[in-house]
Amino acid sequence: MAAQTGPLSPVFMSRSDAPVFPAVLLSAEAAPFTPLGTDGWRLGSPSDVEKQFTRCAAKLRALRADSSQLREELNLFLDQLLSENYNKTFEPNINIRPEDVCSLLKHISCLVPLSQEHLVIKLCQLVHHLLNQLKVIMDERTLDVLLNYTTSALKVCSTWTHSDVLLALSTIVYGNGPQCHQHLRDLLGEDGVLLLYSSPSQPSMELRRVALTCMANICLRIPGQAPLDDQYRSVSFRVFLKTLQSSKPPNTDELFYCMVIQAALKGLQCCLSGGKWKFVGEELGSVLAALKRLMFQGTPGVSVEWPTVLYPTPLPQYEALSAPKPAEPPKSPEPPKDAAVSGKTSANKKRKSKGKGKKTSSEESRVDDGEEENRETVPALQKGGGREAGRGEGESLSKTSGPSLYPSWKRASSDSEFSDPEGSAQSKLRLYNGRIRQGALHCLLAVVKGVEKRTLYGYWSSFIPDSPIGGPPPLTLITIILKDPSPKVRACALQVLSAILDGSRQFLAVAEDTTSPRTSYTPFSFLLATAIRELHRALTLALLAETSPQTLTQVIKCLAYLVANAPYHRLRPGLLSQLWKQMRPYVRHRDVNVRVSVLTLYGALATTQAPLPEVQLLLRQPESSSSSSRTGSFTPQDSGLSWRQRDGVSTPPTPVKPSLRSSRTHSPQVPRTPEEVDSAPPWLLQLCVSLVTQAREDQSDGEGAGAGGGAALEPSPVRLEALQVMFHLVRGYFSLAQACLCEIGQVSARCLGETDPSIQLHGAKLLEELGTGIIQQYRAENNVSESSRVPMSQVVLFWSDVLSGPLNGALQSEQHPTLQTSACDALSSILPQAFSQLPDKTQLMCITVLLGLTYSENYLVKTAAVRALGVYILFPCLREDVMFVADTANTILAALDDRSPNVRAKAAWSLGNLTDTLVVNMESVGVDFQEELSDMLLLKMLQAATRASADKDRVKANAVRALGNLLHFLRESQLTRSAFQRPLEDAVLALVKTIQSEATMKVRWNACYALGNAFRNPALPLDSAPWSCDAFSSLCHVVSSCKNFKVRIKSAAALAIPTTRGSYGDSERFGCVWRSLAKALENSEDTNDFFEYRYSASLRHTLSQALLHLLAVSQSQDMPSLGASLAGEEGRGIKEHLINYLRAEEGGGGGGEGAEGAEGEKEAGGESFTLQQRIGGLQQTLIRLKELEAEGDGRGEEEGSREMVVHFLEDLLQTCEAETTKTALSEEKHPTTN
């Protein structure tokens, strides 16, 4: 053994593995002070462990297999190597190279024969010792050598050695499962040694444990590594599951059995986390049943007959507590609900629905769901002691009825787990049982993350209770969260519940309890609503009872997941109000993570179905009423919440200091008028402002002071989360947040001026959201009254302050491109009306900065700058500026050639906006604007848009929009120039190709709309151009055959746009257009997709309008084809649809198409027509057709067809007028009352 000369001797360790330092007297003779390094170790101190390893390794390498003293020397050197502690926690200066370890182990394995079993054991112990403590990553050669040696030892050596051999093997294969494929057959094959030793029939618990550990390490997958072969993963999975399902063998020590179960749980978790896993048959139900049983391993008072399989449809076999059930109160004579039976009898459902129906007001509902159920499930939480009773009152346990599940963590200290007479053995067993419960929950978490949400919904009732009415409480995750003695286990259960709730919005969306359910049965929607209320109740109890800050953080995070996914607009009000009040004190908790999670929860409250009326009321509540309402509802943690200054208030204080606009300088007791309440900024917004901007008055949890020794701000995570809450409030409740617009702007400016990039980024995003909220208020379609808007003068002042502040620095912060990107987005959120009132130099600064940033080397910055220019080009004060339009166009054209698809996509969007302004200017300014714009620039834009139409779909969608606008904008003098001839043809053919392609439907309907837009240009030679035939053919094809109804709507609208008969070409093409529209009208309901069927009414409206348009422009040569179509069965169908169209009150046809489809119908010119206008148009068409004279040789045929068409229209008009008259008489006879 080497002499121990260093400051720490690894040999002389305490039992707790703490380093032992020699005592040094303070005297003149003491050794001089040596500073410590950054890792806490004495600088320059030699590593004795490293020296010992090097010396022993050198001597071992010098040994030869034919040495006479080989056995003795091997024994000595192995003992010396095993005696050292290689853990870098205790020996930070250790620097043993992995290749030296690998070389040594390979050499020793050649020296130790398998016949020397004592040496084999020591070698295996050394392998485990070195690889485990030094965290050595072996090369392939070493892995192969050690695998060969250990697998051979398992075959040759005696059974008593196998425990150590398997331990070494488990260390060797750790994370190396895929690399061990040559040996997996021997280990996990049909007669594999690991299967033999891991079998439930194996009598040795130690061998069984090590074998299971070895299998778990084989299944372990390191990130970035290929998964283990499915064959061996399946074998291992079945072994682990079988182990978990097997009962404890008789005469087996409890501790050893616990260790076996822990190893199996670890292995199952590795299997489930090692890549995609597909459960076969009842495997999922079997795994969930085993894990649910182990979730309650060692829990006192649980005596349950556990099922072997859980089924998606719960059955009466589910666990029922074997203890006698308590007597029911007189008000509930029906039999109590089974512990976890969710497939309830009709009697139970009837009783539940009656019980729920008794309370009508939200206040009574809260009492029923909160206080009464608290007494049922947790009797310790008695009236008047809500927050104290869950915290350790031992005498309250005597009131519990039924089996005692109340844990030691809620009991008095005299009942703690360390006071039992058996001492450490029982406490160790409790510790091991706790690890089993923790491992089972980790496995359950892996299952939840690995299984489809839809599959998991069927098992919710097994892990989430709905209501504790009647009988003992069911054994669910809530039981663990409320009653498990281990805070780690409780935290794990909360993580599992959070994972189950995450992404469950679609499932929970059907929950509803706003009306009382029928007494005959309980609807599924009501059961889900009850489950949500039960989760609220239980998590609130956990919130009040929890003492561990880490677990308390998980409770609040779990509540945030619940709030984010539950449909509160379909539930009776009150849940969020109760939660809002109970969270208030935790904003000032001493633990940073708790404070962050509370803000996360408030953020979830601000985003869920925003704006939610209940949350609006809570935000409007004056702070004084909120504070007074919290009297008596503080949690036991309140004693630890006083680290902020109390402001001299005797009642529980508000967690905020006065905000920048101090609307709280008055006493909380002074009543406010309703106007003051409505105009006051929300309490939550004021809190967030203070958390971001104001210094802490005290520090906790070792938080250091601020830079320069001044007062420290809140920790960065708290400030970031507060900014996030402000962001959500501005987005969802802008009407309330606008009361302190200037303060929020100042907060954003302050954040942009800080050095932390994360704070700067959140400040920029908050600024962007403020601008977006103002823009939304000023949009006409939102119908916000002028008195409710932010005054224009205030908006101008706001942006003047912002643009003269640190936003400029953020825009030029090249070292932080993400910040530049957000600053560009903020710049693009200026209200157009306010931008025109900014000083000219400010406007010029904005434009110049954006144009410059389009040349940034970072694609994120370039994308944001190009998008911002696409917004600015729509500003009324800029769109008529030819120089700005030209500069923007040249910038966008350059960006369209960028190698980044994100940049090209935004450039195409901006080009679409720019061409929109060209069309608007053409209509508002006239020819002057068209003449001022360069022909060469227009040609470049046309060619660039044509090239972009062949790009990715997200680029193509806006490129075709730009093509349609450009084709609409071009003048006749430009179209006749030779330079435009080929680009014009290429542009139209690009649109045709896009319509006929397999691109996404959005791209295709944009292309149809673009082609219709081009048809609006009277200068386009639709009658003579060679490409016009392809254009009409493509539209005729998709209007009758495309599966997507919105594409059909856009194509039908496009076919109805040409205003002259000559635009449709000869009679053959005109007849093709008519037949296509008639066929589309006949098949307008033929679809198997409900999402398409929604648009069928709008499609029929547009098709009917298009057919009437064709009749209005038709000439005598078109009569034969029209007459043939209207004469037969097809004509009767067309007549029926046209009657419905003409009688419709509005042009929309009730199709519910909404904003997406309205644009195409508007282009068809029919949506805004009234009933009288449609009838009048039909009458004019009829008069014109009567005056038509047949021409040419086929005069007789044309005349007969014309008379047939006229007769069709007269009959149609007569039917519509009769219906109109009948309706008018009916209204006169039975007038409606409003």
Side-chain angles (χ1 to χ4, degrees), residues 204-216:
S204 172
M205 287 290 106
E206 177 61 17
L207 277 175
R208 191 175 167 191
R209 179 190 70 84
V210 182
L212 289 168
T213 302
C214 191
M215 293 173 67

Side-chain angles (χ1 to χ4, degrees), residues 373 465-468 478 529-539:
E373 291 176 3
D466 48 12
S467 178
I478 294 301
T530 310
I532 292 172
R533 291 189 174 276
E534 174 63 9
L535 283 173
H536 263 277
R537 185 197 65 82
L539 290 173

Side-chain angles (χ1 to χ4, degrees), residues 41 144 160 182 239 677 940:
W41 199 251
D144 190 55
W160 68 274
Q182 295 180 353
V239 170
V677 171
K940 288 181 179 179

Side-chain angles (χ1 to χ4, degrees), residues 839-852:
D840 290 344
K841 63 177 183 179
T842 305
Q843 295 184 29
L844 185 61
M845 182 272 295
C846 295
I847 295 169
T848 305
V849 168
L850 290 177
L851 288 171

Side-chain angles (χ1 to χ4, degrees), residues 115-185:
S115 58
Q116 300 291 334
E117 294 184 343
H118 286 282
L119 291 178
V120 170
I121 287 179
K122 289 189 177 182
L123 172 58
C124 291
Q125 291 173 349
L126 182 65
V127 168
H128 172 71
H129 196 56
L130 290 176
L131 297 181
N132 191 40
Q133 292 195 353
L134 292 173
K135 308 293 187 247
V136 174
I137 299 176
M138 294 176 288
D139 56 82
E140 291 186 10
R141 175 61 183 160
T142 305
L143 177 63
D144 190 55
V145 169
L146 295 180
L147 275 173
N148 280 325
Y149 188 86
T150 49
T151 52
S152 300
L154 289 172
K155 295 176 182 177
V156 175
C157 296
S158 304
T159 307
W160 68 274
T161 66
H162 288 186
S163 176
D164 289 293
V165 176
L166 286 172
L167 183 63
L169 181 62
S170 69
T171 310
I172 295 166
V173 300
Y174 182 86
N176 292 316
Q179 285 76 38
C180 305
H181 53 87
Q182 295 180 353
H183 302 273
L184 291 179
R185 183 181 296 274

